Amino acid sequence: MQPHQQTVSNWLESIGQTRNIPLSLGEDGHCIIKFENDLECFIEVPRQSEVIPIYVYCPMLKLPSEQSTQCHLLKAALELNMFGLQTGSCQLSFDQRTNQIVLTFACDLNMLDQELFSHFLSDFLDIASQLNIKFQELEALTFERQDDSQLKDNTSNVIKTKLGIRSNS
C-alpha cells in the first residue's frame, strides 16, 4: 500500500471506530461502506498517479431498458445537478459500464485532512440517502405506471414533481 493510501485507510479506520464499524482501504485501494437502504459507497485511492486523487461514488439507480423512461430519468438527474443545489459538491453521473446513475465525487487528496474527509464523507452519505429516497419513489412510480398510455406524456412532469424540481411551464 502506498503512503497516500495508508493515510486514507487511517482516516477510514478512525471514522469506523467512532461508528463501531471496521473501515479501511484494502490493498487494492478500495473500501466499500454499506449504509442505509442497502446503499454502497465506494472509496477508491489509486496506487500510481501524477496527482493523488480520491474517488467516492455511490450507485443510485439502475436505468430501465425502456428508452423514453431512461431519457426522462437522465434528464431529471441532470436537473438535480444544476448548481449543486441538491448534490452539494457531488455530481450525478451515468456509468455506462453498469447502466446506472451514480453519485460521484473526486478531488486531489492533498486538499483534504482527516477532519475535512470525515465531514465530507458524512455529508456524501447523507446526500446519497436523500437522493436514493427520491429515486426510489420515482422508480416505483415509473414502473407502476409503465402500462399507462399517458406515461410518455406525464413522465417528465411526474419526475420533476417527485424530485422537487420546478417546471418552467
Side-chain angles (χ1 to χ4, degrees):
M1 186 177 289
Q2 298 294 319
H4 63 278
Q5 291 175 311
Q6 187 60 55
T7 297
V8 174
S9 190
N10 293 343
W11 294 348
L12 286 166
E13 286 175 14
S14 177
I15 292 167
Q17 287 173 356
T18 43
R19 296 180 182 219
N20 293 323
I21 53 173
L23 293 178
S24 66
L25 280 183
E27 286 299 319
D28 63 354
H30 290 82
C31 177
I32 300 173
I33 301 172
K34 296 181 187 244
F35 63 111
E36 295 178 23
N37 298 322
D38 296 324
L39 288 174
E40 292 182 325
C41 173
F42 297 84
I43 299 169
E44 180 180 340
V45 182
R47 285 182 68 76
Q48 303 291 334
S49 186
E50 212 171 279
V51 176
I52 303 172
I54 182 167
Y55 302 108
V56 182
Y57 52 98
C58 179
M60 302 303 307
L61 173 72
K62 184 162 182 69
L63 290 176
S65 58
E66 207 277 317
Q67 288 214 329
S68 78
T69 304
Q70 281 183 9
C71 180
H72 292 297
L73 289 169
L74 289 168
K75 185 177 178 181
L78 286 172
E79 288 179 4
L80 284 168
N81 269 338
M82 192 166 185
F83 303 119
L85 296 175
Q86 301 272 336
T87 59
S89 59
C90 308
Q91 302 81 37
L92 285 167
S93 306
F94 174 66
D95 184 346
Q96 187 175 7
R97 296 169 301 143
T98 62
N99 199 39
Q100 292 180 321
I101 294 174
V102 181
L103 183 65
T104 62
F105 176 82
C107 80
D108 183 337
L109 188 58
N110 294 317
M111 304 294 290
L112 297 173
D113 61 21
Q114 183 171 346
E115 185 177 347
L116 283 172
F117 178 72
S118 180
H119 288 296
F120 156 74
L121 187 57
S122 178
D123 290 347
F124 183 90
L125 297 176
D126 288 344
I127 290 167
S129 293
Q130 292 167 10
L131 289 173
N132 182 57
I133 291 167
K134 290 181 180 187
F135 279 122
Q136 281 182 344
E137 290 173 353
L138 178 60
E139 187 177 33
L141 183 63
T142 300
F143 289 118
E144 243 174 54
R145 301 187 65 201
Q146 220 164 21
D147 293 328
D148 188 336
S149 63
Q150 295 179 350
L151 178 64
K152 288 183 182 174
D153 297 332
N154 293 330
T155 300
S156 181
N157 290 332
V158 169
I159 288 171
K160 287 180 180 180
T161 301
K162 283 292 182 184
L163 295 178
I165 300 170
R166 289 187 221 161
S167 179
N168 291 340
S169 52

